[in-house]
Amino acid sequence: LPVDEQTDNLPYDINNDGLVNVLDVVLLVNSVLNGGSANDYPQADVNGDGTLNVLDVVLLINIILEI
């Protein structure tokens, strides 16, 4: 995935470790289950609808698996 020029982070790299992988999915799932918002993790809002939910989780998994 290309580096975001504004943040120097990979898109969807929720934990900012330079990789997009299962650790980002775990963080996203935890955020969704605990009522986290897109303001907390803007790069986690995969579909860009302003909310973090199961749709973002599914899309992130698909991105990681390159489906």
Side-chain angles (χ1 to χ4, degrees):
L1 296 172
V3 173
D4 183 334
E5 294 176 8
Q6 290 181 337
T7 62
D8 294 329
N9 294 326
L10 286 172
Y12 320 122
D13 179 17
I14 300 166
N15 64 354
N16 294 316
D17 66 353
L19 302 169
V20 178
N21 57 27
V22 68
L23 297 176
D24 298 297
V25 174
V26 170
L27 187 56
L28 177 54
V29 169
N30 284 336
S31 183
V32 168
L33 292 176
N34 292 311
S37 76
N39 293 330
D40 299 329
Y41 299 107
Q43 63 274 37
D45 185 14
V46 180
N47 64 357
D49 67 355
T51 61
L52 298 182
N53 55 38
V54 69
L55 296 176
D56 297 301
V57 174
V58 170
L59 289 172
L60 183 57
I61 291 170
N62 286 339
I63 288 167
I64 291 170
L65 296 176
E66 298 183 79
I67 294 176

